[in-house]
Amino acid sequence: MLTKSFVLSAMRGDKGGQLTVFAVLATVILVPLANIMLPAGHPFHVETFTIALMGKYLSYAMLALAVDLVWGYLGILSLGHGAFFALGGYAMGMYLMRQIGDRGVYGNPILPDFMVFLDWQALPWFWQGFDQFWFACLMVVLAPGLLAYVFGYLAFRSRVSGVYLSIMTQALTYALMLAFFRNEMGFGGNNGLTDFKDILGYSLQQDSTKIALFMVTGIALILSYVVCRSVISSRLGRVSMAIRDTESRTRFMGYDVDGIKLWIFVLSAVIAGIAGALYVPQVGIINPGEFAPLNSIEIVVWVALGGRATLFGAIVGALVINYAKSWFTVEFPEVWLFALGGLFVLSTMYFPKGIIGFISDKVQLIKKKGSTEDTTPPSGKAAKEATA
């Protein structure tokens, strides 16, 4: 458990982060109350569908937070974090599939429906243990973490960086997408994993379960932010920013640059995997499309629009863009792709530092203008009155 002193030390001086955490916490508390306490016809009543949608947005915010940790503070532009997100989602999806039991279409208590359809005779070895929730949670952390460790160890020890590393991460997620599309892999092929029934014995169709998942996702987002902030505010975080700015000089000073990059990269992948695990039961499906390189590029856009190297800016960017995406698909279904593309272009032109950077610049400008006015000596009539 995170102690109170640990949280306070991590959040000290981070006003934007404090406001963001407070907003998320207030949302986690007030939105379920608006669903439970207020009747359906009330103007402030929140539908269960909306709560599930907000839970999906919060899981995306966790994913954006993970990308900002490595891109904003380590200088690694990862275009493969969608792979870590999807691996965590598949680990949770495998647990949910095992919970279906004999309630599937074919009534097989052991094999998922897609395996029965493909005439599989036995459960593959890598599906063993996923009937236990604790084992699934362990795999949610280990699967993306181990992949990130192996990939990062080979890449960082080989001194691969810059655009070449970005291309390698994109190639990684593309290769995994092609592999998971194959039925022989044993992950549902093109259709993926779906038709989930319950989690920990609670039906996924019940409103109470959806509300609980939303609240858990919000709390996980807050804890992830505190962990990331504690890393950044520590000596390790300062060294990581030195690596981002002048890697060769930091290496010359004797720091273990490769080890630091690997550690933070693995932590980022684990956060992305947890986000994927929280995403799947709220959406109800996980398929190879989550590995698509375009998804990883879109995550980078969330971070860039919100404000790189701020952490809370990544959360804001993910929430704003995904809400805009949902709104455009409903209000302008024929042109929503063009509208969303125009939003990205305009944000690049007018918000080069992201939303948070734009707001920060305006606040600094107002403060500077106010301090200038306070120190300007009076002139003319005002000067005479002041000296009278």
Side-chain angles (χ1 to χ4, degrees), residues 108-192:
N108 192 306
I110 303 297
L111 298 180
D113 285 339
F114 75 88
M115 291 186 183
V116 179
F117 178 78
L118 295 173
D119 200 26
W120 289 45
Q121 300 302 316
L123 193 70
W125 64 269
F126 50 84
W127 275 77
Q128 302 294 334
F130 277 98
D131 56 333
Q132 301 295 325
F133 183 74
W134 67 267
F135 183 82
C137 291
L138 184 63
M139 291 299 105
V140 164
V141 174
L142 285 182
L146 184 60
L147 176 64
Y149 180 83
V150 173
F151 176 84
Y153 181 85
L154 297 175
F156 301 147
R157 294 293 174 179
S158 301
R159 306 288 176 87
V160 180
S161 61
V163 67
Y164 299 103
L165 183 60
S166 300
I167 293 173
M168 288 178 61
T169 57
Q170 192 173 45
L172 173 67
T173 187
Y174 185 68
L176 286 172
M177 181 187 70
L178 295 179
F180 274 71
F181 264 120
R182 297 176 60 88
N183 289 326
E184 296 83 356
M185 286 289 292
F187 296 105
N190 182 62
N191 296 324

